Amino acid sequence: NGLIDEVLGEKKDVRKIFANDIIEASDRLNRIVDNLLGSIRIESKRTALNLEWYDISDLASSVREKTGLLMKEHKFTLEISGNIPLLRFDFMLMEHLLKNLVYNAILYTPPGSRIVLRIVPDENDIIITVSDNGAGIPEAEKEKIFKKFYRPKGAKTGGLGLGLSICREVAEIHNGTISVETSEMGGASFIVRLPLQRSEIKGEV
């Protein structure tokens, strides 16, 4: 309504505020739809893994690009070990998992907070962590948050409580696990451990 108001619509600053609100609302709606459709596909077992060999840095770069607009008020760091070979995984599902984790870190931390996406090898596994220096997650909530439709007290509006449950489902489809701990920075640290098949060909980082 503000944009079509003759008086308010003429003010550049007001138009910018309303435009940003529209963009953020549209982004929230897109995430809700993506998570809802993702949950339906996984539950109905229509999701067949499209396993291909990928450079893990390509996945991380795609996630950073697609969350960049929302990240403008946060300090984002990407850390990838230089000795990771090509990995075999479903790119779309893994991108969905990481986007959900990064979105959550953005949503539940104040402007100026740090968010770190780290990917390192650990013997036969790949460890992916998304950490922040926000308020963290109470011990009593750490297992509940992965349940479908669960929304903790004080959760921001605009979601269905599906994001983290889908993250767990995607990790488990890849024979992996996901958990949450207190990060070294004092906030939350989501840890994805995936026993992914590896290629002898080194990926570029």
Side-chain angles (χ1 to χ4, degrees), residues 3 12-28 69-70 72-73:
L3 284 175
K12 183 178 180 180
D13 291 342
V14 173
R15 291 201 307 271
K16 184 176 180 180
I17 291 172
F18 284 129
N20 285 335
D21 286 345
I22 291 171
I23 292 172
E24 290 179 6
S26 176
D27 188 74
R28 285 196 302 270
L69 285 177
L70 291 176
K72 60 183 181 293
E73 296 184 353

Side-chain angles (χ1 to χ4, degrees), residues 4-15:
I4 62 176
D5 184 281
E6 292 183 2
V7 177
L8 293 177
E10 292 179 355
K11 297 180 179 181
K12 183 178 180 180
D13 291 342
V14 173
R15 291 201 307 271

Side-chain angles (χ1 to χ4, degrees), residues 92-199:
M92 184 183 71
L93 289 180
M94 285 301 301
E95 183 183 65
H96 198 146
L97 183 157
L98 284 186
K99 281 197 303 182
N100 274 340
L101 293 183
V102 173
Y103 277 136
N104 268 13
I106 296 170
L107 191 62
Y108 290 102
T109 58
S113 298
R114 290 186 60 204
I115 298 174
V116 179
L117 169 57
R118 181 181 293 114
I119 304 175
V120 297
D122 179 31
E123 296 184 353
N124 295 319
D125 297 332
I126 296 297
I127 310 300
I128 304 173
T129 61
V130 175
S131 306
D132 62 63
N133 63 340
I137 298 173
E139 195 65 35
E141 300 281 338
K142 287 183 177 178
E143 181 60 30
K144 295 178 182 178
I145 58 176
F146 293 104
K147 294 181 179 179
K148 191 167 295 183
F149 301 116
Y150 179 79
R151 290 177 59 75
K153 293 180 180 179
K156 295 189 177 181
T157 59
L160 297 176
L162 286 173
L164 289 177
S165 69
I166 290 177
C167 288
R168 170 168 280 183
E169 289 171 333
V170 171
E172 291 178 348
I173 284 175
H174 285 85
N175 298 315
T177 62
I178 183 171
S179 60
V180 61
E181 299 177 358
T182 300
S183 75
E184 297 176 355
M185 300 182 291
S189 183
F190 286 87
I191 304 166
V192 181
R193 181 180 289 268
L194 300 173
L196 299 177
Q197 299 181 52
R198 303 183 182 205
S199 169

Side-chain angles (χ1 to χ4, degrees), residues 33-66:
V33 172
D34 285 347
N35 281 334
L36 185 58
L37 292 177
S39 180
I40 291 173
R41 286 197 299 267
I42 292 172
E43 265 200 1
S44 63
K45 298 182 180 179
R46 288 201 298 265
T47 298
L49 283 181
N50 182 22
L51 297 175
E52 300 291 345
W53 294 103
Y54 296 104
D55 185 336
I56 196 72
S57 64
D58 290 339
L59 174 66
S61 296
S62 178
V63 171
R64 178 169 57 182
E65 178 182 350
K66 292 183 177 180

